[in-house]
Amino acid sequence: MNTEQMYLLLRDSILRNAHFTAGELDLVMSFFKVRATVKNERLLSRNDICKNLYFVCRGYIRIFNELDNGNDITRFVAFENEFGTAMPSFICQAQSAASIDTPEDSYLLHISHSDFHFLLDSLPQWERIYRINLEKAYIASVQRVEMLTMMSAREGYEFLLSHFPQVVQRLSNKNLASYLGIKQETLSRLKSRR
Amino acid sequence: MNTEQMYLLLRDSILRNAHFTAGELDLVMSFFKVRATVKNERLLSRNDICKNLYFVCRGYIRIFNELDNGNDITRFVAFENEFGTAMPSFICQAQSAASIDTPEDSYLLHISHSDFHFLLDSLPQWERIYRINLEKAYIASVQRVEMLTMMSAREGYEFLLSHFPQVVQRLSNKNLASYLGIKQETLSRLKSRR
């Protein structure tokens, strides 16, 4: 994937939700930098302050909570054409409870917190883009709470399959099980039943 | 609490986060209607479409998931000076997985989905108000996921006490236990230990 293709993906994604003049769009693009990562590369560690918002062109980013026993719990994933980062830390510029990595070789565009806020203050349409992506992330988080509190292992798995099939298809069994809040053996049983 | 006091609270809350001209502020206010509720009054039932966003002037609203066994799980609460509703349903104008009630006698202002979107399209500063409140709600939801997946009962309780003390102080033991994802007996033990 070359740089031009990456910026085209970002441009298309943005224009789907808001109107920008050519000059405004060029301004937005000028703040995004390219980052290519290898499988399992770490982008943020727990307790660091998250300085970047990512747009995924290929691969995906995984936001996860590390546990003291060496395991971790997948909290959020963003795939191609999606924005993502450790949002609470990015928003508050406070230490992050979560870490970020790229489970696949990935091509990302990223914008710094200060450039992001410069755009928020300069372009009302950028606020709209952000708001729409926040809505999506918020809904996914609420559904995650419902999955953890109300749904059986099977219901949670079926919900993911129908609403977020990529999560089921692309996450490792270990990461998917932690996302569902179930044991890996339970997940294997659910998968083999289908 | 009289109507004038209610609109003053809303006005102050909005001006804390954005700049409006007097005319714009009057426009915003004109879309909010008063609603007074009694204890445990129902504002939304599961499977209905959530048509209103609420601003709490006194009391609080509780968003909860009803279970088939007659119990429910508290998913979100909004207290005085906070906005809240069954957001996924309000955003998508789709059937709500959650219900809403007011566990205390409450004074609310509410705006309809269509008026809300009229303001989003008319006033960039309204988009900002919404975005800032979405960020707060999103962070609370992410912390809820972390509470359910990573924290012990005691850690979750301590986290709420330090970050959202009103949740601990004002929710009934039953509702607080379901918010923490723990049994009522466990909660009673935690409370008595302090």
Side-chain angles (χ1 to χ4, degrees):
Chain A
M1 168 163 263
N2 66 38
T3 305
E4 195 182 339
Q5 291 170 318
M6 294 173 68
Y7 282 99
L8 268 178
L9 281 181
L10 175 60
R11 185 180 290 258
D12 287 350
S13 166
I14 287 172
L15 290 178
R16 224 170 286 136
N17 290 311
H19 302 288
F20 288 98
T21 66
E24 287 170 344
L25 206 52
D26 286 343
L27 180 68
V28 170
M29 294 297 146
S30 72
F31 287 119
F32 278 86
K33 312 289 176 229
V34 172
R35 173 135 184 200
T37 67
V38 296
K39 184 174 172 170
N40 294 330
E41 186 166 329
R42 177 72 68 112
L43 295 175
L44 179 79
S45 292
R46 174 169 58 163
N47 295 330
D48 287 349
I49 293 172
C50 179
K51 303 275 187 202
N52 292 298
L53 176 74
Y54 298 93
F55 176 78
V56 181
C57 299
R58 181 175 296 172
Y60 69 94
I61 62 170
R62 179 177 81 104
I63 294 94
F64 59 99
N65 293 115
E66 292 175 87
L67 304 179
D68 292 333
N69 65 9
N71 289 333
D72 66 58
I73 296 170
T74 300
R75 193 181 78 187
F76 189 79
V77 279
F79 295 108
E80 285 89 355
N81 295 310
E82 293 178 340
F83 288 92
T85 195
M87 284 305 287
S89 172
F90 182 76
I91 290 169
C92 304
Q93 287 296 285
Q95 284 191 311
S96 181
S99 308
I100 308 178
D101 68 7
T102 52
E104 302 175 356
D105 295 348
S106 298
Y107 287 94
L108 312 170
L109 292 170
H110 61 95
I111 182 170
S112 74
H113 183 265
S114 55
D115 290 343
F116 184 80
H117 272 265
F118 175 82
L119 286 180
L120 279 184
D121 291 334
S122 316
L123 301 177
Q125 288 291 303
W126 185 250
E127 184 110 37
R128 169 145 305 190
I129 296 286
Y130 178 36
R131 183 264 294 178
I132 290 170
N133 282 285
L134 259 181
E135 286 182 335
K136 274 192 217 164
Y138 180 61
I139 291 173
S141 181
V142 166
Q143 288 170 331
R144 180 90 197 285
V145 169
E146 291 176 345
M147 202 180 295
L148 292 167
T149 57
M150 293 172 60
M151 296 187 202
S152 68
R154 164 174 292 278
E155 286 167 342
Y157 181 74
E158 299 285 342
F159 181 86
L160 277 190
L161 258 185
S162 60
H163 291 77
F164 302 99
Q166 288 197 86
V167 173
V168 177
Q169 289 150 8
R170 294 174 67 177
L171 266 62
S172 70
N173 269 7
K174 190 179 164 196
N175 291 343
L176 178 57
S178 74
Y179 189 89
L180 281 161
I182 64 177
K183 291 193 178 132
Q184 281 192 64
E185 304 85 74
T186 311
L187 176 62
S188 301
R189 217 163 35 238
L190 287 170
K191 281 193 162 177
S192 67
R193 271 199 208 142
R194 285 187 68 90
Chain B
M1 169 161 265
N2 65 39
T3 306
E4 196 183 340
Q5 291 170 318
M6 293 174 67
Y7 282 99
L8 268 177
L9 281 181
L10 176 60
R11 185 179 290 257
D12 287 350
S13 166
I14 287 172
L15 290 179
R16 222 170 288 137
N17 289 313
H19 302 286
F20 288 99
T21 66
E24 288 169 344
L25 206 52
D26 286 344
L27 179 68
V28 170
M29 294 297 144
S30 72
F31 287 119
F32 279 86
K33 313 290 177 227
V34 172
R35 172 134 186 203
T37 66
V38 296
K39 185 175 169 166
N40 294 331
E41 187 166 328
R42 177 70 68 113
L43 295 175
L44 180 78
S45 293
R46 175 169 56 162
N47 294 332
D48 287 349
I49 292 171
C50 179
K51 302 276 187 201
N52 292 297
L53 177 74
Y54 298 93
F55 176 78
V56 182
C57 299
R58 182 175 295 173
Y60 69 95
I61 61 170
R62 180 176 80 104
I63 293 93
F64 59 99
N65 293 114
E66 294 176 85
L67 304 179
D68 292 334
N69 66 9
N71 290 332
D72 66 57
I73 296 170
T74 300
R75 194 181 79 188
F76 189 80
V77 281
F79 295 108
E80 286 88 355
N81 295 310
E82 293 178 341
F83 288 92
T85 196
M87 284 305 287
S89 172
F90 182 76
I91 290 168
C92 303
Q93 287 297 284
Q95 284 192 311
S96 180
S99 308
I100 307 179
D101 68 7
T102 53
E104 303 175 357
D105 294 350
S106 298
Y107 288 93
L108 311 171
L109 292 170
H110 61 95
I111 182 170
S112 73
H113 183 265
S114 55
D115 291 343
F116 184 81
H117 272 264
F118 175 81
L119 286 180
L120 279 184
D121 290 335
S122 317
L123 302 177
Q125 288 291 303
W126 184 251
E127 183 112 37
R128 170 147 304 192
I129 296 287
Y130 178 37
R131 182 262 295 178
I132 289 171
N133 282 284
L134 259 181
E135 285 182 335
K136 274 192 217 166
Y138 180 61
I139 290 173
S141 181
V142 166
Q143 289 170 331
R144 181 90 198 286
V145 169
E146 291 177 344
M147 201 180 297
L148 292 167
T149 56
M150 292 172 60
M151 297 188 201
S152 67
R154 163 173 291 279
E155 287 167 341
Y157 181 74
E158 300 285 343
F159 181 86
L160 277 189
L161 258 184
S162 59
H163 290 78
F164 303 99
Q166 287 198 88
V167 173
V168 177
Q169 289 150 9
R170 293 174 68 177
L171 266 63
S172 69
N173 269 6
K174 189 179 164 197
N175 291 343
L176 178 56
S178 74
Y179 189 88
L180 281 160
I182 63 177
K183 291 194 178 133
Q184 280 192 66
E185 305 85 72
T186 311
L187 176 61
S188 302
R189 217 163 37 238
L190 286 171
K191 280 191 163 179
S192 66
R193 270 198 210 144
R194 285 186 69 90

